């Protein structure tokens, strides 16, 4: 764990809560009359998923998928599946939920991997997005906040596995 890490608050709890509720309301409206499989991308999305599903008023089931693509604050580019779904998504409406989309390599990989399983629909929600860093081929359907390329922690986001438990999002000062 880094000694004397400097970080400054970016989004506080009230701001996050309001935005997540807005996304939940939009998703509820967009999928009216349908059911939804929410797939959280481990580990970072676990807190966003927990809050988001409680803001969605639809029949929702929750799954997780595990990938690993990062070491420290730099992308390694290579994505690896570390944990798979426990349910079949064939013919289902799937909402893939990420903590943050940086280069987009992770989400591109996951979209390809899930599309071959034949879902009825597949959309992506990400709590945060760094548009300046994007290199991906797919688009994001629901975005919480757009941020600059700086590294952030908290609300599920880690720095070498720590700080996920911060209730707010903070920017790391290198
Ligand atoms: P991508 O494949 O480059 O889009 O990276 C996505 C993954 O990298 C996310 O799921 C995060 O786990 C991690 N990541 C990217 N940027 C940050 C950040 O600023 N803080 C913490 N994790 C990040
Ligand atoms: Mg991570």
């Amino acid at each position: 764990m880094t000694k004397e890490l400097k970080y400054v608050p970016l989004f506080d709890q009230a701001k996050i809560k309001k935005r997540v509720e807005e996304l939940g309301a939009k998703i509820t409206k967009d999928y009216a009359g349908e059911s939804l499989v929410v797939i959280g991308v481990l580990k970072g999305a676990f807190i966003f998923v927990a809050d988001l599903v409680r803001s969605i008023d639809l029949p929702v089931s929750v799954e997780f998928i595990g990938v690993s693509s990062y070491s420290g604050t730099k992308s390694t580019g290579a994505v690896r599946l570390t944990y798979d779904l426990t349910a079949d998504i064939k013919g289902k409406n799937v909402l893939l939920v990420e903590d943050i989309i940086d280069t987009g390599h992770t989400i591109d990989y996951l979209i390809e991997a899930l599309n071959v399983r034949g879902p009825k629909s597949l959309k992506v929600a990400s709590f945060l997005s760094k548009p300046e860093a994007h290199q991906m081929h797919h688009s994001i359907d629901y975005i919480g906040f757009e941020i600059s390329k700086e590294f952030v922690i908290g609300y599920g986001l880690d720095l070498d596995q720590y700080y996920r438990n911060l209730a707010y999002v903070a920017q790391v000062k290198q």
Side-chain angles (χ1 to χ4, degrees), residues 16 97 101 106 144 163 167:
I16 293 170
V97 179
I101 295 179
T106 308
Y163 304 104

Side-chain angles (χ1 to χ4, degrees), residues 41 44 69-70 75 79 98-107 130 147 150-153 157-158:
V41 182
S69 62
Y70 260 70
S75 176
V79 183
E98 257 283 27
D99 55 352
I100 186 164
I101 295 179
D102 186 10
T103 62
H105 292 142
T106 308
I107 209 69
K130 295 179 178 174
I147 61 169
E150 252 173 292
F151 201 82
V152 292
I153 51 173
L157 292 134
D158 72 302

Side-chain angles (χ1 to χ4, degrees), residues 22-169:
E22 284 169 5
L23 290 177
K26 176 85 167 77
I27 290 164
T28 302
K29 206 170 138 219
D30 291 353
Y31 289 91
E34 304 269 336
S35 61
L36 192 58
V37 183
V38 168
I39 303 179
V41 182
L42 292 172
K43 301 172 196 171
F46 79 112
I47 291 176
F48 179 43
V49 167
D51 285 343
L52 185 65
V53 294
R54 285 179 289 178
S55 297
I56 299 175
D57 187 15
L58 296 168
V60 165
S61 65
V62 180
E63 287 287 328
F64 287 97
I65 196 159
V67 287
S68 165
S69 62
Y70 260 70
S71 175
T73 59
K74 286 194 200 82
S75 176
T76 60
V79 183
R80 199 164 50 89
L81 200 70
T82 56
Y83 177 78
D84 205 352
L85 308 179
T86 63
D88 192 1
I89 56 164
K90 197 174 169 61
K92 306 276 180 69
N93 293 307
V94 171
L95 182 65
L96 192 53
V97 179
E98 257 283 27
D99 55 352
I100 186 164
I101 295 179
D102 186 10
T103 62
H105 292 142
T106 308
I107 209 69
D108 266 354
Y109 169 86
L110 284 171
I111 289 169
E112 309 283 319
L114 294 177
N115 255 334
V116 299
R117 301 184 192 187
K120 178 181 176 186
S121 68
L122 178 56
K123 284 200 199 178
V124 176
S126 187
F127 175 59
L128 300 174
S129 171
K130 295 179 178 174
E132 293 164 29
H134 288 181
Q135 297 174 14
M136 75 260 199
H137 308 290
H138 299 92
S139 57
I140 318 168
D141 302 280
Y142 305 98
I143 298 172
F145 302 101
E146 291 194 336
I147 61 169
S148 69
K149 277 162 86 172
E150 252 173 292
F151 201 82
V152 292
I153 51 173
Y155 197 70
L157 292 134
D158 72 302
L159 174 58
D160 287 340
Q161 301 305 326
Y162 288 94
Y163 304 104
R164 294 193 197 275
N165 57 322
L166 282 183
Y168 57 93
V169 173

